[in-house]
């Protein structure tokens, strides 16, 4: 049974006293200040405010967090799970990378999941997003893109392991990735960023105007690409609405340039809006082409198409974020100090050509320098990262619309310094109907002086901000390793994980099927099957011993070791490492895992368990004898 955290009851007496004292000072500071405050007084007050907020969010040893945070791992290629508000790293989920601890990328099961890209050992993950039903997280999957190798992947939330990886054909660099929110996540929407020649056969490099890129709809269950849409310009970030009818993507290179200055020439690039119903109808009606090397339907969504609309937006816009109510979406200007607010119920009229593209814009207001991404509290307020100003700007959407219409209202509510240069930010449940306005995480690209020096390479700095009151309060600095671009914060009630594997789990069904074909029951048998120069070694494990403590093969054999962990106790994970063979893997309770290697060195080769499992863990080992050829 989960232990409830009672963080709010843990404020110490000392802090109670401090709260009273600084509470008064804060009141003075907010209103007409009686006596001018010195810089030192201000710093002390800010510190105390932060300390007070931090205390209310402290998760003491043994207590559990209220939220799961899913972080991308950037060019480490993985996904990480953090607890919020503690910001403790709970788990890493290898996806596009290889992982020595779990054997991800080394085991036969993970290679099967990686499929045609199993030979690729690197990745660049940016945007983790959970599957939804009716605009709410459904706890089923987390999806993530790989910009480096044009892939998308799916993580199963019951076991928190990657179970599907798909390479998107006909394009390069999947960047923006979001899910269809309503009625459920039928599609992942995946932006290919870089424009390329078609066909990309090495004969047309200089035909730059002929380059194009594609917006992709990926079936969330099969993880096959359902359709691709040719667009004008390139594609950066994407999001979807709360009716299920539209997805939309920002473009920073409407110029179609291949160099930096060229992509900054135009004062406005655009948001391209995709009409999902029309796209599906066009695919059904067979109004598509296919491109060399795949049979995925490709539709033309360039300007003039009835599948898309293009709305001019200043300037090299980056993030696009739908507000929880579903009424608005906000594009972040990056090279323009503005955010552009779209009223989404105007999109129907736009597609019926009753209004002009810019008529969907209800506000375009200045926030500060370098707006990149926006998150929402579900109470009408938005939080935008200002990369160049190193700030988070809290602003009110309705007030911004009033100001844009010429009313004299202050739409900016607060600017909070963050350290330093924020990219994405995310609020608790903020991309769903359940946005609860409790926490904001701001992901900074630079840590500079915030942590102990660790050489020329610095960590990044993820800051936790309490947004439950009128004022944002910075409460935690959290160093992270390269390079979480994005995260999402999911209430723990939405996630139900297994404690043990199901013996028939589909992630190792292929291995069990192989065993069956060999006449082996992996849950009872310890057996060696020779098949020409392929040898399959099936063994069980129960702490602290493998079911087999020695076996023999011949030099030159291709050996597959299949291990089934029969332990039924939560947390008793075994490992398997064959010394000097670059082979190791995780075998969690009731899991079957396998790894294949060449027995190329004659002699005695020790293997051992490398996940600490028992007082006699060191003794959990055995010998492989390789007879000389
Ligand atoms: Cu802004 Cu890849 Cu979402 Cu980086 S992206 S910050
Ligand atoms: Cu089994 Cu360590
Ligand atoms: Ca541009």
């Amino acid at each position: 049974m989960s232990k409830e955290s009672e963080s709010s009851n843990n404020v110490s007496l000392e802090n109670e006293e401090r709260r009273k004292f600084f509470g008064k000072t804060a009141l003075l500071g907010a209103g007409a200040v009686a006596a001018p405050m010195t810089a030192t007084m201000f710093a002390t007050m800010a510190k105390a405010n932060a300390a007070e907020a931090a205390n209310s969010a402290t998760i003491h040893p043994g207590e559990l967090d209220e939220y799961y945070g899913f972080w991308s791992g950037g060019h480490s290629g993985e996904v990480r799970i953090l607890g919020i508000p503690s910001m403790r790293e709970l788990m890493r989920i290898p996806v596009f990378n290889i992982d020595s601890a779990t054997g991800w990328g080394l085991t036969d099961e993970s290679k099967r999941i990686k499929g045609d890209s199993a030979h690729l050992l690197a990745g660049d993950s940016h945007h983790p997003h959970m599957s939804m039903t009716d605009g709410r997280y459904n706890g089923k999957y987390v999806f993530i893109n790989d910009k480096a190798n044009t892939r998308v992947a799916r993580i199963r939330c019951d076991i928190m392991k990657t179970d599907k990886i798909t390479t998107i054909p006909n394009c390069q660099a999947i960047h923006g990735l979001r899910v269809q929110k309503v009625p459920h996540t039928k599609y992942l929407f995946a932006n290919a960023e870089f424009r390329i020649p078609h066909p990309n056969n090495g004969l047309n490099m200089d035909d730059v105007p002929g380059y194009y890129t594609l917006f992709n709809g990926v079936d969330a269950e099969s993880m096959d690409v359902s359709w691709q849409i040719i667009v004008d310009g390139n594609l950066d970030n994407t999001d979807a609405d709360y009716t299920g009818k539209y997805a939309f993507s920002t473009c920073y290179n409407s110029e179609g340039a291949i160099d930096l200055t060229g992509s900054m020439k135009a004062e406005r690039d655009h948001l391209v809006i995709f009409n999902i119903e029309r796209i599906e109808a066009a695919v059904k009606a067979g109004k598509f082409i296919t491109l060399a090397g795949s049979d995925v339907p490709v539709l033309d969504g360039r300007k003039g198409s009835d599948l898309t609309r293009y709305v001019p937006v200043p300037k090299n816009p980056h993030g696009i974020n739908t507000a929880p109510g579903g009424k608005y979406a906000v594009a972040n200007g990056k090279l323009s100090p503005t955010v552009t607010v779209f009223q989404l119920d105007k999109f129907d009229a736009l597609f019926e050509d009753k209004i002009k593209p810019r008529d969907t814009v209800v506000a375009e207001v200045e926030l500060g320098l370098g707006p990149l991404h926006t998150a929402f509290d579900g109470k009408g307020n938005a939080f935008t990262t200002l990369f160049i100003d190193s700030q988070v700007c809290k602003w009110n959407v309705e007030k911004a619309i009033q100001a844009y219409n010429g009313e004299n209202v202050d739409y900016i509510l607060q600017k909070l310094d963050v350290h330093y240069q924020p990219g994405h930010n995310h609020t608790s449940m903020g991309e769903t109907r359940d946005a609860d306005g409790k926490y904001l995480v701001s992901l900074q690209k630079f840590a500079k002086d915030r942590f102990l020096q660790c050489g020329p390479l610095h960590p990044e700095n993820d800051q936790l901000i309490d947004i439950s009151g009128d004022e944002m309060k910075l409460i935690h600095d959290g160093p992270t390793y390269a390079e979480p671009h994005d995260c999402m914060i999911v209430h723990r009630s939405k996630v139900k994980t297994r404690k043990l594997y199901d013996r028939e789990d589909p992630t190792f069904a292929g291995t069990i099927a192989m065993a069956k074909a060999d006449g082996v029951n992996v849950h009872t048998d310890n057996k060696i099957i020779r098949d020409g120069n392929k040898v399959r070694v099936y063994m069980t494990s129960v702490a602290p011993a493998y079911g087999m403590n020695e076996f023999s093969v011949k030099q030159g054999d291709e050996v597959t070791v299949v291990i089934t962990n029969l332990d039924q106790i939560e947390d008793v994970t075994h490992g398997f490492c064959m010394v000097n063979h670059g082979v190791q893997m995780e075998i969690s309770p009731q899991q079957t895992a396998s790894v294949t290697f060449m027995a190329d060195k004659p002699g005695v080769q020790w293997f051992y368990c490398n996940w600490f499992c028992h007082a006699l863990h060191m003794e959990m080992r055995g010998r492989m004898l390789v007879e000389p050829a």
Side-chain angles (χ1 to χ4, degrees):
M1 193 56 221
S2 308
K3 208 177 142 192
E4 294 293 326
S5 69
E6 297 163 314
S7 48
S8 52
N9 298 331
N10 288 320
V11 181
S12 71
L13 186 64
E14 187 199 348
N15 284 315
E16 274 304 342
E17 303 276 281
R18 222 194 281 163
R19 181 207 299 252
K20 278 179 211 150
F21 173 72
F22 285 108
K24 275 180 202 148
T25 321
L27 275 181
L28 278 177
V33 183
M37 226 196 292
T38 65
T40 328
M41 279 167 73
F42 187 80
T44 313
M45 190 190 76
K47 236 183 201 169
N49 276 343
E52 184 189 315
N55 275 326
S56 73
T58 297
I59 302 298
H60 292 276
E63 292 179 348
L64 302 180
D65 281 290
E66 189 177 355
Y67 300 89
Y68 288 93
F70 291 87
W71 258 237
S72 64
H75 44 293
S76 72
E78 63 192 9
V79 166
R80 301 170 192 153
I81 307 177
L82 272 67
I84 307 292
S86 73
M87 301 288 275
R88 296 181 291 213
E89 185 179 294
L90 305 177
M91 187 49 65
R92 295 183 172 199
I93 306 170
V95 185
F96 304 114
N97 54 331
I98 56 163
D99 180 49
S100 162
T102 59
W104 186 258
L106 307 172
T107 63
D108 301 327
E109 294 72 34
S110 61
K111 284 179 175 171
R112 237 173 261 140
I113 288 166
K114 286 187 159 183
D116 63 354
S117 67
H119 62 292
L120 299 173
L121 307 181
D124 185 8
S125 60
H126 283 231
H127 301 113
H129 291 286
M130 184 179 275
S131 52
M132 296 189 200
T133 302
D134 191 28
R136 300 189 148 93
Y137 291 135
N138 64 20
K140 216 169 167 193
Y141 305 121
V142 169
F143 302 95
I144 184 84
N145 68 300
D146 173 20
K147 175 166 169 176
N149 300 294
T150 318
R151 291 179 287 182
V152 292
R154 183 173 80 185
I155 291 160
R156 257 174 58 199
C157 294
D158 60 338
I159 53 171
M160 293 300 176
K161 297 284 187 188
T162 307
D163 85 321
K164 292 263 189 191
I165 296 186
T166 299
T167 304
I168 311 283
N170 305 323
C171 47
Q172 284 182 20
I174 295 298
H175 185 237
L177 179 117
R178 288 271 183 161
V179 302
Q180 186 175 17
K181 298 175 198 281
V182 173
H184 68 278
T185 301
K186 178 178 176 190
Y187 296 116
L188 302 190
F189 299 122
N191 285 345
E193 181 177 343
F194 299 139
R195 302 168 72 252
I196 55 170
H198 293 273
N200 196 10
N201 55 10
L203 301 175
N204 45 7
M205 180 171 173
D206 294 329
D207 176 28
V208 177
Y211 289 15
Y212 60 76
T213 192
L214 300 162
F215 178 74
N216 301 280
V218 179
D219 185 290
E221 281 302 325
S222 68
M223 290 294 281
D224 294 330
V225 184
S226 301
W227 37 258
Q228 304 186 295
I229 316 287
I230 304 170
V231 293
D232 278 315
N234 75 344
L235 294 171
D236 193 348
N237 279 290
T238 185
D239 205 350
D241 75 342
Y242 280 84
T243 68
K245 283 197 266 185
Y246 302 107
F248 21 81
S249 302
T250 49
C251 158
Y252 65 78
N253 186 19
S254 61
E255 299 89 342
I258 48 168
D259 61 348
L260 182 64
T261 39
S263 67
M264 296 191 297
K265 266 192 185 137
E267 279 312 307
R268 282 171 168 181
D269 294 288
H270 56 247
L271 183 82
V272 48
I273 307 163
F274 300 93
N275 187 316
I276 307 303
E277 282 171 9
R278 288 190 188 176
I279 288 166
E280 287 181 331
V283 171
K284 221 175 184 181
K287 291 186 202 155
F288 58 81
I289 58 165
T290 55
L291 295 171
S294 92
D295 54 10
V296 176
V298 178
L299 299 103
D300 195 338
R302 284 174 284 201
K303 282 174 188 164
S305 158
D306 66 351
L307 307 177
T308 54
R309 290 292 182 270
Y310 289 76
V311 187
V313 175
K315 178 187 185 176
N316 291 32
H318 186 58
I320 174 76
N321 304 91
T322 308
K327 193 165 177 193
Y328 303 113
V330 171
N332 301 262
K334 192 165 77 180
L335 301 189
S336 163
T338 53
V339 284
T340 303
V341 181
F342 300 89
Q343 189 173 317
L344 301 181
D345 63 8
K346 292 180 183 261
F347 285 3
D348 285 349
L350 176 63
F351 273 91
E352 287 157 19
D353 294 320
K354 289 178 183 157
I355 58 172
K356 299 230 157 53
R358 282 287 298 184
D359 295 340
T360 60
V361 173
V362 290
E364 192 158 84
V365 293
E366 284 196 23
L367 297 183
L369 295 183
L372 288 188
H373 295 281
T374 295
F376 303 91
D377 64 1
K379 303 169 201 161
N381 303 312
F383 304 82
T384 300
T385 51
L386 302 174
F387 180 82
I388 296 170
D389 285 339
S390 281
Q391 286 180 319
V392 174
C393 176
K394 178 179 180 181
W395 54 287
N396 182 279
V397 180
E398 293 297 343
K399 284 182 179 166
I401 294 168
Q402 290 162 12
Y404 186 68
N405 289 331
E407 284 179 50
N408 186 18
V409 288
D410 239 345
Y411 53 90
I412 294 179
L413 306 177
Q414 188 195 354
K415 286 186 178 180
L416 181 75
D417 290 342
V418 288
H419 313 86
Y420 303 87
Q421 263 94 42
H424 273 271
N425 61 3
H426 207 93
T427 46
S428 41
M429 307 294 279
E431 62 175 356
T432 73
R433 288 192 204 281
D434 298 321
D436 62 15
K438 281 170 91 167
Y439 294 108
L440 172 73
V441 165
S442 180
L443 307 177
Q444 278 70 239
K445 301 297 183 188
F446 297 85
K448 292 186 189 170
D449 48 7
R450 298 293 280 196
F451 306 109
L452 285 178
Q453 285 278 331
C454 302
L457 181 63
H458 290 227
E460 305 199 353
N461 186 13
D462 299 350
Q463 291 186 308
L464 183 71
I465 296 162
D466 180 344
I467 55 166
S468 59
D470 286 342
E471 238 183 84
M472 296 184 276
K473 286 175 188 162
L474 176 62
I475 53 178
H476 188 88
D477 270 12
T480 50
Y481 184 62
E483 176 203 350
H485 282 259
D486 192 10
C487 68
M488 56 156 172
I489 305 170
V490 181
H491 194 267
R492 67 184 192 190
S493 61
K494 299 281 180 184
V495 176
K496 301 268 179 286
T497 68
R498 298 184 65 89
K499 294 184 174 173
L500 308 176
Y501 272 95
D502 182 333
R503 287 185 162 195
E504 305 296 328
D505 193 281
T507 54
F508 47 82
T511 306
I512 303 240
M514 177 180 80
K516 277 193 184 136
D518 279 341
V520 172
N521 178 342
V522 295
H523 299 106
T524 53
D525 300 347
N526 290 285
K527 255 189 198 169
I528 299 180
I529 305 291
R530 177 169 283 280
D531 172 7
N533 64 348
K534 293 186 174 170
V535 179
R536 292 184 281 279
V537 181
Y538 293 94
M539 60 173 105
T540 55
S541 69
V542 177
Y546 295 112
M548 218 184 252
N549 54 22
E550 56 180 71
F551 62 87
S552 297
V553 298
K554 294 196 175 64
Q555 186 179 6
D557 282 345
E558 184 194 280
V559 181
T560 299
V561 173
V562 182
I563 301 179
T564 300
N565 181 349
L566 299 182
D567 278 302
Q568 307 228 32
I569 302 164
E570 185 184 348
D571 213 358
V572 181
T573 292
H574 296 291
F576 174 82
C577 168
M578 181 64 72
V579 171
N580 291 349
H581 286 73
V583 157
Q584 47 192 55
M585 63 184 180
E586 159 205 359
I587 318 116
S588 279
Q590 300 293 303
Q591 183 183 7
T592 297
S594 70
V595 67
T596 299
F597 57 93
M598 288 301 294
D600 49 7
K601 287 182 269 290
V604 169
Q605 315 288 343
W606 283 94
F607 59 89
Y608 70 96
C609 173
N610 55 1
W611 278 86
F612 209 107
C613 56
H614 192 274
L616 293 169
H617 158 78
M618 285 296 286
E619 287 80 352
M620 188 167 170
R621 59 193 188 127
R623 288 174 305 160
M624 170 175 77
L625 177 68
V626 181
E627 297 164 2

